[in-house]
Amino acid sequence: MSSTFLRYIAQRVVQCILVIFIGITITFLVPRFSPTDPVEAAVNRAMMMGQYSHPDAVRMMKEALTKMYGLDGTLGQQYIRFWKGLLSGDLGPSLSSFPKPVMSLIRTSLPWTAGLLLVSAIISWTVGNLLGCLAGYFGNQRWSQVIGMIAMALHPIPYYIMAFVLLVALAYVIPVFPIGGAVDIGLKPSLGWIYISSLLRHAFLPALSLVLIGVGGWFIGMRTLVTNVVAEDYVTYAKYAGVSDRTIMYQYVMKNALLPQITGLAMQIGLIFNGALITEYVFSYPGLGYLAYNAIFTGDYSLIMGVAIFSIVGVSLAVLLIDLAYPLFDPRVKYQ
Amino acid sequence: MLKVENLKAYYQTEMYGVSRNVRAVDGVSLELQKNEVYGIAGESSCGKTTLIRTLFGAFDPPLRVVEGTVTYSLDGESVDVTKIQGERLRQIRWKQVSYILQGSMSLLNPVRKIRKTFWDFTRAHEPITDAEKFEAMARNHLNRLGLPAQVLDSYPHQLSGGMKQRVAIALATLFEPKVILADEPTTALDVIVQRGVLQLLKRIQRETQSTLVIVTHDMGIHANIADRVAIMYAGRIVEEGRVKHIFGDPLHPYTKHLIESLPKIGDKSTRTSIPGAPPNLGDPPPGCRFHPRCPYAEPICRRESPHLAAVANDRRVACFLVTTKENAHVS
Ligand SMILES: Nc1ncnc2c1ncn2[C@@H]1O[C@H](COP(=O)(O)OP(=O)(O)OP(=O)(O)O)[C@@H](O)[C@H]1O
Ligand code: SF4
Ligand SMILES: [Mg+2]
């Protein structure tokens, strides 16, 4: 391993840590500087529910809430306390599901989001690039132009519209798929077929809505990249030498055209993540997005912060992973 | 070995319904012998690359053969590469005729080890039954060309420009082709490296008794390596002859200009360049294509186009100035 390779890794890791640190700090600061006081808001909500409150009780409630949110003491003290809690895995209790800790809520939601996101990101990246490569390589063929037109039409559709259309079409009008949830109610997690099939049936529409849009984007990018690589001298040279079409397409064209798409994946992860959050809400899929929506709806500050922090960490780590894997595909980065 | 007759190859493009013909090769005839080095010279965009592509039978749109033939005699058989396609063409390529493209820096796949590229190029023409045999063959081939076998383990970016070009040459000569077409093989290289690459090409040519066609705008290289030289201007050959005749006694005004613009040792005078620019091949001037820039142009030059006529043994010129004088001399 050369020192440039180590420097490459060190650089990415430091960058990732920095991004996470800044992101979490902003998450810490936003509620503290936002015009709505979370304590005030929570008290108002409690009063609106019609409970009679003695002014003393209100004061005590305020104090308790302030402490619970970690809003007592100076900003510096709060910040240190915040990091201490975070590093020991304590994000405080959730207000909407009191006294459940935020951490445990996130723990049950995270796998759903991670699963949905990972699977649909991988599928759309693979399918989009494969189709884009074929379309770029056989650019003047009819089918490639048809796929191109479909991709162009799909790509600009917002995630929530796609999700909504699929839901209405395939869960209400033609009810082939369930309208929401992650598995049929009452099923115990197991590796049996009943559980797995229920899981797949529930995940299908949310995943499809993410994949359809994702495929369009990767397809368009890849097709352009491939048309450029096809015109490279080394492709012409290999063609003239009689190297088989198959080898040229995979080893000469695709491998080179994919490089920017790998970097592109790292840049798109954040966007896909946001898309997944919206999609989850439309399909009542019990992941982080659904959790976030409920947290916003009920004004559950600690839960909002918890979801935000996990999003930042998750997206940053995914980007780091892709960045670290990049030299495996491009020999020019590894040594030099 | 190779006979080209009245070859016309145009780029036919259409934009907004207006079709355009770029007459990049416009009536070229030439004959190549076994075991000779044939140089093609001429300034940028006069059609050198297009000519060499047509010699290789590489007519990818928008390039099209409009007229003429490119006939190789291979093992006693005549093959016109403007007429064949597909598998038949593939069989001739690399085993009989190789082509080193212009752009020596970018002929190798950046994400593939040289060994793999050797593997691809070999397997395209001969089944590889045994990895060890292939390895021995590749090493042997590199050895013969004086290249280190370690290049097989390298990626292109790890090689110097000169080494990349040598590897490209090694790839082109895997099967000892009878004709090697080399387009600007030294253009991006510095002078010392240039010499090494030229020596390599020359050595391969001598050892395999093959025909080497070398395209470059650098007259100095032709003087060093070529047996015969053709001077191209605006899609046509304007003069052709033995290297010593071309350099010792250039006949065509354009050749004269090219030779005069060569730097000479001890000469400090500034080079004169001919006024004007090379013609647009989409709409070349009538008559002699050089007439707008020719200091000797006469009325006939604007009307009629001079043929490339033999004026002596192994010497052809397309200029009224020369042919009428010679004719007068003969009669
Ligand atoms: N694909 C193409 N489509 C249209 N015109 C082309 C194409 N390729 C080349 N030409 C034109 O054909 C003419 C001859 O080009 P060519 O590449 O053969 O010149 P060249 O002598 O090799 O030049 P250079 O020394 O710059 O390599 C030029 O006018 C060029 O613009
Ligand atoms: S034919 Fe006329 S214009 Fe052309 S090179 Fe000769 S003298 Fe010049
Ligand atoms: Mg050229």
Side-chain angles (χ1 to χ4, degrees):
Chain A
M1 238 182 260
S2 70
S3 68
T4 36
F5 188 38
L6 288 177
R7 196 162 63 220
Y8 177 90
I9 291 187
Q11 232 169 38
R12 303 297 141 133
V13 171
V14 168
Q15 200 178 332
C16 175
I17 292 174
L18 219 68
V19 167
I20 291 178
F21 179 78
I22 293 171
I24 290 180
T25 303
I26 291 175
T27 314
F28 165 83
L29 289 176
V30 164
R32 282 163 178 84
F33 287 101
S34 86
T36 46
D37 181 355
V39 175
E40 217 45 75
V43 170
N44 286 344
R45 207 174 356 257
M47 308 253 267
M48 252 157 44
M49 304 240 180
Q51 287 163 322
Y52 167 75
S53 318
H54 191 268
D56 270 351
V58 171
R59 193 176 39 86
M60 269 163 67
M61 192 163 122
K62 273 189 183 169
E63 267 168 25
L65 279 171
T66 307
K67 212 169 161 58
M68 200 182 79
Y69 279 133
L71 292 175
D72 50 334
T74 65
L75 199 64
Q77 285 168 337
Q78 291 177 30
Y79 190 56
I80 291 168
R81 207 160 350 108
F82 169 77
W83 271 108
K84 269 191 190 149
L86 189 62
L87 291 178
S88 58
D90 178 16
L91 291 166
S94 152
L95 200 68
S96 55
S97 326
F98 198 78
K100 257 196 181 161
V102 166
M103 211 56 175
S104 86
L105 287 174
I106 289 180
R107 211 174 296 128
T108 46
S109 309
L110 191 63
W112 293 113
T113 298
L116 179 66
L117 197 79
L118 222 63
V119 170
S120 43
I122 290 172
I123 292 180
S124 43
W125 193 82
T126 314
V127 173
N129 283 316
L130 212 64
L131 286 179
C133 186
L134 288 168
Y137 198 73
F138 303 102
N140 34 23
Q141 246 138 62
R142 179 114 207 160
W143 59 263
S144 116
Q145 280 156 7
V146 170
I147 300 181
M149 257 135 61
I150 296 174
M152 287 286 202
L154 283 180
H155 180 57
I157 300 175
Y159 282 107
Y160 56 92
I161 299 219
M162 177 61 88
F164 193 69
V165 168
L166 284 180
L167 181 70
V168 170
L170 295 176
Y172 282 109
V173 180
I174 318 168
V176 254
F177 290 102
I179 53 169
V183 283
D184 287 310
I185 294 162
L187 274 186
K188 286 251 153 12
S190 76
L191 283 176
W193 171 242
I194 298 177
Y195 182 78
I196 302 270
S197 73
S198 167
L199 187 143
L200 289 179
R201 252 175 352 101
H202 282 82
F204 187 83
L205 282 187
L208 183 66
S209 73
L210 291 172
V211 165
L212 280 180
I213 291 173
V215 163
W218 295 122
F219 173 90
I220 293 167
M222 188 63 173
R223 194 182 48 181
T224 314
L225 286 165
V226 165
T227 10
N228 289 335
V229 173
V230 163
E232 291 281 347
D233 290 335
Y234 54 82
V235 176
T236 316
Y237 198 44
K239 248 187 212 161
Y240 284 174
V243 176
S244 72
D245 250 344
R246 223 186 121 83
T247 309
I248 290 186
M249 192 173 92
Y250 289 115
Q251 306 294 343
Y252 287 72
V253 175
M254 199 169 183
K255 273 204 176 166
N256 281 287
L258 265 184
L259 296 178
Q261 295 292 76
I262 295 169
T263 325
L265 182 59
M267 281 161 59
Q268 288 283 306
I269 286 276
L271 218 64
I272 305 171
F273 187 84
N274 291 343
L277 294 195
I278 295 163
T279 308
E280 278 178 10
Y281 168 62
V282 175
F283 289 100
S284 335
Y285 202 75
L288 283 185
Y290 194 64
L291 200 63
Y293 170 78
N294 282 333
I296 292 165
F297 193 68
T298 53
D300 188 343
Y301 268 82
S302 14
L303 189 52
I304 295 175
M305 276 172 71
V307 173
I309 288 169
F310 266 79
S311 321
I312 292 167
V313 174
V315 170
S316 306
L317 286 182
V319 170
L320 176 68
L321 225 66
I322 295 166
D323 266 354
L324 290 186
Y326 185 78
L328 296 179
F329 302 98
D330 191 346
R332 284 163 295 190
V333 178
K334 202 180 297 184
Y335 312 99
Q336 220 146 44
Chain B
M1 190 77 242
L2 169 64
K3 189 168 184 176
V4 177
E5 280 176 308
N6 193 30
L7 182 68
K8 296 187 180 176
Y10 299 169
Y11 293 97
Q12 301 190 321
T13 51
E14 214 187 272
M15 203 181 249
Y16 307 119
V18 183
S19 59
R20 216 174 90 95
N21 270 343
V22 176
R23 290 143 81 166
V25 170
D26 205 11
V28 166
S29 300
L30 54 88
E31 236 174 285
L32 301 183
Q33 312 305 325
K34 187 175 151 67
N35 193 18
E36 77 164 333
V37 180
Y38 188 79
I40 300 175
E43 62 200 317
S44 193
S45 76
C46 68
K48 303 185 295 296
T49 296
T50 314
L51 174 59
I52 213 163
R53 271 180 70 188
T54 55
L55 297 189
F56 192 63
F59 311 105
D60 311 316
L63 183 61
R64 278 195 43 197
V65 186
V66 179
E67 215 181 307
T69 54
V70 178
T71 314
Y72 287 88
S73 60
L74 303 167
D75 310 317
E77 197 192 341
S78 296
V79 185
D80 179 357
V81 293
T82 63
K83 304 283 188 308
I84 58 169
Q85 281 175 346
E87 190 52 28
R88 183 88 181 84
L89 193 56
R90 214 178 69 87
Q91 280 167 1
I92 289 173
R93 287 177 173 177
W94 246 250
K95 286 221 141 178
Q96 311 270 14
V97 183
S98 269
Y99 172 21
I100 303 156
L101 272 72
Q102 182 168 3
S104 49
M105 292 304 140
S106 49
L107 295 185
L108 301 170
N109 183 350
V111 299
R112 205 151 173 78
K113 277 198 176 151
I114 306 294
R115 173 177 288 105
K116 285 278 181 70
T117 304
F118 264 78
W119 178 280
D120 297 338
F121 278 50
T122 306
R123 212 180 50 168
H125 301 279
E126 270 172 15
I128 300 176
T129 45
D130 178 342
E132 262 169 52
K133 265 199 204 126
F134 162 77
E135 182 74 20
M137 185 281 294
R139 283 170 176 270
N140 199 3
H141 183 60
L142 288 172
N143 232 336
R144 222 172 33 233
L145 304 189
L147 307 186
Q150 295 97 280
V151 297
L152 290 174
D153 292 311
S154 314
Y155 285 102
H157 74 271
Q158 294 166 304
L159 304 177
S160 70
M163 193 51 83
K164 270 189 238 177
Q165 181 64 328
R166 286 185 176 94
V167 169
I169 292 172
L171 283 166
T173 51
L174 274 169
F175 303 103
E176 298 199 352
K178 300 198 174 70
V179 178
I180 303 167
L181 310 167
D183 193 355
E184 306 272 7
T186 57
T187 301
L189 308 174
D190 67 56
V191 184
I192 309 235
V193 182
Q194 269 187 13
R195 195 179 307 148
V197 168
L198 288 173
Q199 275 164 359
L200 176 65
L201 275 170
K202 180 72 193 160
R203 217 179 77 212
I204 296 170
Q205 183 272 327
R206 205 180 319 116
E207 280 169 14
T208 58
Q209 304 268 297
S210 51
T211 307
L212 172 64
V213 179
I214 185 161
V215 165
T216 169
H217 60 270
D218 187 340
M219 291 301 284
I221 289 177
H222 289 302
N224 273 326
I225 191 172
D227 299 319
R228 290 194 297 145
V229 181
I231 313 291
M232 269 186 97
Y233 186 81
R236 291 180 176 162
I237 293 180
V238 294
E239 181 163 10
E240 181 199 60
R242 305 239 133 244
V243 102
K244 61 170 186 282
H245 296 140
I246 294 280
F247 281 85
D249 177 26
L251 295 177
H252 195 281
Y254 179 62
T255 316
K256 283 191 183 134
H257 155 71
L258 283 183
I259 308 285
E260 272 161 22
S261 60
L262 269 179
K264 292 179 195 71
I265 296 163
D267 178 2
K268 293 210 176 60
S269 67
T270 49
R271 321 257 153 262
T272 51
S273 76
I274 10 175
N280 172 5
L281 293 178
D283 181 22
C288 173
R289 289 190 175 173
F290 189 55
H291 86 251
R293 299 168 78 188
C294 182
Y296 313 105
E298 288 174 29
I300 186 176
C301 307
R302 278 178 261 282
R303 290 192 314 268
E304 278 169 52
S305 161
H307 289 290
L308 184 64
V311 292
N313 242 358
D314 267 347
R315 191 76 188 268
R316 296 189 294 163
V317 185
C319 171
F320 289 122
L321 205 66
V322 182
T323 41
T324 48
K325 208 195 294 169
E326 289 288 318
N327 287 347
H329 186 74
V330 169
S331 57

